[in-house]
Amino acid sequence: MTVADESIARFRALHIPGDPLILVNIWDAGSAKAVAAAGAKAIATGSYGVAGAQGRADGEDFPLADVFENLARILSVTDLPVTIDMESGYGADPASVGVSVARARAAGAAGINMEDRMPGRNDLLPIAEAQARYRAAADTGIFVNARCDVFRGADAAKDGERLVAAVLERARAYADAGAGSLFVPFLGDPRCIGAICAASPLPVNILRAKAGPTHAELAALGVARISHGHQPWAAAMAWLTGQAQQVLGGAEPYY
């Protein structure tokens, strides 16, 4: 087994329903070092923070070459498995997605996060099209966290049963494509989370929300992976802005 294969296997083994992998998403080598020093089991980038740290917009506005340069710097400071957010896969079709993701694996990434809608679009890709893109990514051998945006902008309290069924239909298709886990962001309803975890053929990743279930509650629901998305980056920038305002306003900083 190669070093890359070992890293991917290590990362895959961390996805345990009921004992979730907690990922405090980072954006550069410095933030990776800080999170690793805190006891992280793996490192995960978030595309919003990675782009924002360079003054760019989310949505594949950050060039792919820069994504890999950032990955190289992160890998240089940690031996932990690293998964990177590749948004929609950086490819107009499955073949080009496969090329981009193969580059990520060759560069040392253990996993990727990939969406089932295209940059700047609100509508989800048809299931067969999304499945083909996930298959192209998974065929590289990397661990694919297949993001499913069914709950994005939806009302879980009103349409929860229908939305859960739609997620599970996609989960089965994405599992057949070789995905390693299912990411369902924008979902904080415990009943829906529990129903998805109980029936999904893939371990489930939930985005932690301030007003949603706690880490312990998500674990009890059967979640296998908890992400924090752009929130760590946003909190760090809000702190920095607040401190700058305080200092420039004539006061002393907290630091």
Side-chain angles (χ1 to χ4, degrees), residues 27-28 31 46-57 62 70 233 237:
W27 51 93
D28 61 9
S31 54
S47 64
Y48 193 102
V50 168
Q54 301 300 320
R56 307 295 289 260
F62 194 59
N70 193 46
W233 176 83
M237 295 304 102

Side-chain angles (χ1 to χ4, degrees), residues 218-243:
L218 289 172
L221 290 168
V223 172
R225 171 170 166 170
I226 301 171
S227 300
H228 287 72
H230 83 288
Q231 295 167 100
W233 176 83
M237 295 304 102
W239 181 89
L240 179 59
T241 299
Q243 291 298 292

Side-chain angles (χ1 to χ4, degrees), residues 7 12 27 46 53 58 60 77 82 95 142 145 152 154 176 241:
S7 181
R12 187 182 302 276
W27 51 93
D58 197 21
E60 296 189 10
V77 300
V82 176
I142 208 167
N145 189 37
R152 184 173 183 267
D176 287 345
T241 299

Side-chain angles (χ1 to χ4, degrees), residues 129-151:
E129 187 175 345
Q131 183 185 46
R133 293 171 68 85
Y134 282 130
R135 180 174 289 115
D139 281 351
T140 68
I142 208 167
F143 184 97
V144 177
N145 189 37
R147 176 167 151 173
C148 178
D149 272 0
V150 164
F151 277 89

Side-chain angles (χ1 to χ4, degrees), residues 84-133:
I84 62 172
D85 189 343
M86 287 192 68
E87 306 197 55
S88 302
Y90 281 85
D93 51 52
S96 54
V97 167
V99 171
S100 295
V101 177
R103 288 179 61 190
R105 187 185 191 282
I112 64 159
N113 187 77
M114 187 172 141
E115 303 173 17
D116 56 0
R117 59 188 178 89
M118 299 301 285
R121 298 290 299 270
N122 290 321
D123 54 313
L124 273 63
L125 290 164
I127 292 178
E129 187 175 345
Q131 183 185 46
R133 293 171 68 85

